[in-house]
Amino acid sequence: MNKTKEEILDAALNLFSQKGFSTVSIRDICSVVNIKESTVYYHFQNKEAILNEILKQFENHSESLIAKMSSAFPALMSDPQAIEKLLPKIMNEYIDGYLTDPFCNKVIRILSIDQLNNPKVHQMYSFWLFEKPLEIQQFVFSIFNNAGIISCDDPAFAAEKFYSPFFFCLSRYLISGELTQEKIGIFKKSIFRHIEEHLR
Amino acid sequence: MNKTKEEILDAALNLFSQKGFSTVSIRDICSVVNIKESTVYYHFQNKEAILNEILKQFENHSESLIAKMSSAFPALMSDPQAIEKLLPKIMNEYIDGYLTDPFCNKVIRILSIDQLNNPKVHQMYSFWLFEKPLEIQQFVFSIFNNAGIISCDDPAFAAEKFYSPFFFCLSRYLISGELTQEKIGIFKKSIFRHIEEHLR
Amino acid sequence: MNKTKEEILDAALNLFSQKGFSTVSIRDICSVVNIKESTVYYHFQNKEAILNEILKQFENHSESLIAKMSSAFPALMSDPQAIEKLLPKIMNEYIDGYLTDPFCNKVIRILSIDQLNNPKVHQMYSFWLFEKPLEIQQFVFSIFNNAGIISCDDPAFAAEKFYSPFFFCLSRYLISGELTQEKIGIFKKSIFRHIEEHLR
Amino acid sequence: MNKTKEEILDAALNLFSQKGFSTVSIRDICSVVNIKESTVYYHFQNKEAILNEILKQFENHSESLIAKMSSAFPALMSDPQAIEKLLPKIMNEYIDGYLTDPFCNKVIRILSIDQLNNPKVHQMYSFWLFEKPLEIQQFVFSIFNNAGIISCDDPAFAAEKFYSPFFFCLSRYLISGELTQEKIGIFKKSIFRHIEEHLR
DNA sequence: GATGAATGAGTGTTCATTCAT
DNA sequence: TATGAATGAACACTCATTCAT
């Protein structure tokens, strides 16, 4: 991709994730990238198109991450005991490659800020922060249940229970305010404690 | 308070909670209240002052609710077994008089939408959605621990664990999208199941 | 009506009739009226609304002129010989109060300039420059024919024949280029000669 | 001429004649021709130059048509009775090769749309729609008068009278709105009736 | 209490044009 | 021949705010 176009996307990502789509002006973006406003319109049809490109990249990123994480499932199904070794690995991948990944973290912020103004964003927010994670976890709990490792009669509820601290800590430490290494540390410590507690 | 002023506040509350502070214009408010824009400036110094008044009312409401709910604590301390009878009552008060209360619910939406643009809102968001609820619950868990009803070596973590499903369901059912009776029903059912599970 | 609003309408009328609607900017209008651009939007919803107001005034003006001119018809029907006295009067009313009337002349220019870009303008152009004048003249020729004053088997064609020099001279002397007293003089001389010739 | 250049001219002709010069953007032209905007500037110095080239072609076309039509005059002067045979031929040539000719018709539209914004266009409009046709017809009427075929003491006025229905029908049927075969039919029928009527 | 009128600053966007490649 | 990239100037329009009445 073109260098300027990338810079625009990068600046937009940062600004949108800090102040929300509608509060950021094309001028704001341009003064970061150091180009003229009309230049933006050479690279993008309009302001919305910048957001859409960001969202598309996020969707690609998310989907490939899920694909990658899902590749561990077959192994799990044949040897469910592997969970104790695999789980931390998967969790770290999820946290480092998604929740705290600079790009994804910013998009997640955008999703949570702009969900109310933009139907498309709202749908993505619901999907990537509620539906998809719950679906995956519910699926995993079903497997474990079938394998006799755990007994849970309602995988959907189990998933909700398991995911709740995730969502809470995500909101509290990774989205609210600036993202610092310190906050990431607190987040990880807290989350892994919740996971341990849950597995007991 | 003056009738027009109240109508402005009411319209602003609705609009802010639907689209966020910066996306709502004075025009928008006026076309709901059916007054001219200049009239707003008779009642409020500026747009921000409208928001501030709403936030102040919310803070008053929240504090008096906490005071009310806290009044049950002394009784609990002398007879901790009363918890089983009191808990549902307190929870319903919290849900009906706060999370799903038309006024509070809207303000909570405002807090979550505008936390990133407005430092004051950010501080209130942190306080009322994270710090305060956790503080109270931590306090309650300490009492129970001291009373020997439950044994929890880390009340802070226990509070986080207890509050997480609350926050999750709040975000999922009470804030995202429009608030319907159906969603409130799902929220309550889900929350009470989490509470039960937790108490076991 | 408000003074500023009238000034805006007046400036817009002049500019639109000189350069066409889309070529005139709000800035152009403002620099004539000596107001800021935002002021225009206090008085009009948008640029198009200015044009629409002008067109509405024109339509009112045209309709009342027709009503006035038509009031002579009953007299004509009872005494068709009166035509020789009435005709010049009617014609002068039509020319002075319509074709060369400063307001109407400018609007007619607008109609002829912008007919291609604006469907509403196109429809008004067709109506006021083709359909309506022909309809009226056709009606008059019918009356005279029935009264035996003239014999014309096809009033529609007679009207077209009678109106053609009107339209030609209108286009040549009253619309093309600036409207001067000299041109009005040439127009009138030419038109009255055509009328005489026609009546013979 | 270069193929791309011709395509640009062709697209510009169509668009200018539909919406007027200033309303058509280089982008509009390019999206028809399927080239980039910068390419236009390889073939033309600027937007105006495209129009000028079109106008030059029109002028060449018009002049050669006149030359062709004028070649019949000497024959007419020696045998004025030939008029009855020649006239329809000349008229058809004028209508088919000029007024309804796809290229000329479009340019005539451009002339009538843009006469008010562009002095050069205004001059051409006056010349080709008023002065030249009247000059030619006046010349013809003089010949006939001198030859005793008709007696007209004012050939200029006769020309105006003869040309008026032409101009009217041209404006009404050939310029206003889209040009269809049906409209051409109505135009021809109407015009030939006017000519007949005139010759009687 | 309320409003009519005005405005300065800003917003997203379009356009003709340039120029190096 | 053609284009990718950029730009300055302009455009219609919005907004929070002011102030005299």
Side-chain angles (χ1 to χ4, degrees), chain C residues 2 4 38 42-43:
Chain C
N2 177 283
T4 303
S38 43
Y42 173 72
H43 295 284

Side-chain angles (χ1 to χ4, degrees), chain A residues 14-21 23-24 105-115 171 174-179 183, chain B residues 21-22 109-126:
Chain A
N14 287 322
L15 292 167
F16 289 167
S17 68
Q18 282 161 25
K19 313 199 289 166
F21 176 76
T23 315
V24 173
N105 182 269
K106 284 169 194 161
V107 178
I108 292 172
R109 283 161 186 266
I110 294 175
L111 295 183
S112 75
I113 301 170
D114 286 308
Q115 50 155 317
S171 299
L174 303 186
I175 288 182
S176 179
E178 218 185 330
L179 184 65
K183 280 186 180 175
Chain B
F21 176 76
S22 53
R109 281 160 188 268
I110 295 175
L111 295 182
S112 75
I113 301 169
D114 287 307
Q115 48 155 319
L116 286 154
N117 276 307
N118 185 325
K120 188 185 175 176
V121 171
H122 175 74
Q123 182 252 316
M124 284 187 64
Y125 173 78
S126 292

